[in-house]
Amino acid sequence: MIEFGPVIAIVDDKKDEVQGIIDYLSSQDIGFRYFDADIDESNFPEKQIESVELIFLDLYYSSAFDPYQCAQWIDEIIPSKKQYELVVWSRDSHRTEELLSVLTEINKFPRFCITKQKSEIYETPDGIQKLINEVKNEINENKNVRVDEFLAEIIDFSEEHVILNCLIDQKSDFFQIRKFEKTPLTHFLKFDVGTILMVKVTTSKGERLFEYIEQFEDYSDLFEQKNIFDKFKDSPLTRD
């Protein structure tokens, strides 16, 4: 008999606040696993779960918010380089950006994140159905979104633009020099020449967003070319 793992993980220290979600998933025969996030006990899975595609995650497990505790749950559940969706299901969803910064730091950033504020409107069976429908709709909307990711090295920048040596195809060792606009979607503190980052380009109808995510692993062996910017200092790319 083939056993399929859970598709959804639920992380919360108060089971009564997610019982409606648990009951709904059970009634629909959707595979899930609930994790009690009590900080006084170690309730992490024995190993990361490859089958999980979506996580409902609460943010507070004690009197103080600790984004690293939240991120540890993601890290313990989701394998490296596994794509997943994150639903922040919390009364304090305004702290989501702090969590996402830590997930960037540990290279476990979600494919996309949905924030849902716990409130009375979701406490009844009809409310749970409303919550599930809203999450489904947002997931379906994101299915029409194209996301491209690649590693890149900063070789120059200005107040409005950044010029990158982009590793377009690692297998064929294909690089390309590209000029991008800076945007508020920047998941590190500053631009420095030589910094290696992940560029995430999200394209939807009529809109394109860029995220620049600093990498904490050593990729220097992939970008061994020295003084690469000297080759392009007279290129139109370097002129604003």
Side-chain angles (χ1 to χ4, degrees):
M1 177 179 177
I2 299 176
E3 293 187 2
F4 297 95
V7 177
I8 296 174
I10 304 169
V11 179
D12 201 309
D13 64 326
K14 297 179 180 178
K15 190 174 182 181
D16 61 307
E17 294 190 354
V18 293
Q19 190 62 53
I21 297 173
I22 290 172
D23 292 342
Y24 174 84
L25 296 177
S26 297
S27 70
Q28 300 297 310
D29 293 325
I30 298 173
F32 72 92
R33 184 170 171 186
Y34 166 71
F35 295 95
D36 183 351
D38 187 335
I39 61 172
D40 294 326
E41 301 193 25
S42 179
N43 296 321
F44 299 116
E46 293 182 0
K47 61 180 181 179
Q48 295 167 321
I49 307 173
E50 184 67 38
S51 60
V52 169
E53 297 180 0
L54 184 146
I55 297 180
F56 282 90
L57 182 74
D58 189 21
L59 296 184
Y60 267 81
Y61 314 137
S62 64
S63 59
F65 170 65
D66 184 347
Y68 285 91
Q69 287 179 346
C70 303
Q72 185 178 5
W73 277 104
I74 301 293
D75 196 35
E76 296 283 349
I77 294 172
I78 299 296
S80 297
K81 299 182 180 180
K82 164 76 176 181
Q83 291 192 329
Y84 70 100
E85 285 82 44
L86 175 62
V87 180
V88 173
W89 173 237
S90 175
R91 299 189 188 279
D92 304 278
S93 57
H94 61 283
R95 311 299 294 265
T96 299
E97 284 299 321
E98 296 169 70
L99 167 64
L100 293 178
S101 293
V102 178
L103 291 177
T104 297
E105 182 179 329
I106 66 172
N107 290 320
K108 289 291 177 75
F109 202 80
R111 182 162 48 188
F112 61 87
C113 178
I114 300 169
T115 58
K116 292 296 177 183
Q117 186 80 9
K118 288 182 179 178
S119 66
E120 293 181 358
I121 64 173
Y122 295 123
E123 291 180 354
T124 65
D126 287 343
I128 292 297
Q129 184 65 64
K130 173 180 171 63
L131 170 67
I132 298 299
N133 287 340
E134 289 174 353
V135 171
K136 284 181 178 179
N137 289 338
E138 292 193 40
I139 289 175
N140 287 333
E141 288 175 4
N142 277 278
K143 285 182 177 178
N144 296 322
V145 174
R146 175 181 171 182
V147 178
D148 296 304
E149 294 182 336
F150 49 86
L151 290 169
E153 179 184 21
I154 297 176
I155 58 175
D156 195 31
F157 59 90
S158 65
E159 291 186 2
E160 297 182 353
H161 298 94
V162 58
I163 300 174
L164 304 176
N165 181 27
C166 304
L167 179 52
I168 305 300
D169 189 335
Q170 189 169 336
K171 290 183 179 180
S172 63
D173 203 30
F174 175 59
F175 289 84
Q176 193 173 74
I177 305 299
R178 293 185 180 180
K179 184 176 184 179
F180 295 89
E181 293 182 2
K182 284 184 178 180
T183 77
L185 294 173
T186 304
H187 295 292
F188 61 97
L189 298 179
K190 60 184 179 179
F191 287 85
D192 285 324
V193 171
T195 296
I196 306 298
L197 49 87
M198 177 72 73
V199 180
K200 183 177 179 180
V201 185
T202 304
T203 306
S204 57
K205 187 175 182 180
E207 184 177 33
R208 177 172 290 177
L209 298 176
F210 299 93
E211 294 179 77
Y212 307 109
I213 305 169
E214 186 176 10
Q215 299 299 288
F216 296 91
E217 296 181 34
D218 183 8
Y219 291 106
S220 57
D221 58 326
L222 299 177
F223 296 87
E224 292 180 339
Q225 295 166 285
K226 304 300 181 183
N227 299 319
I228 187 171
F229 183 62
D230 290 343
K231 296 171 57 179
F232 300 93
K233 62 184 179 180
D234 296 322
S235 168
L237 285 173
T238 65
R239 304 175 195 141
D240 287 331

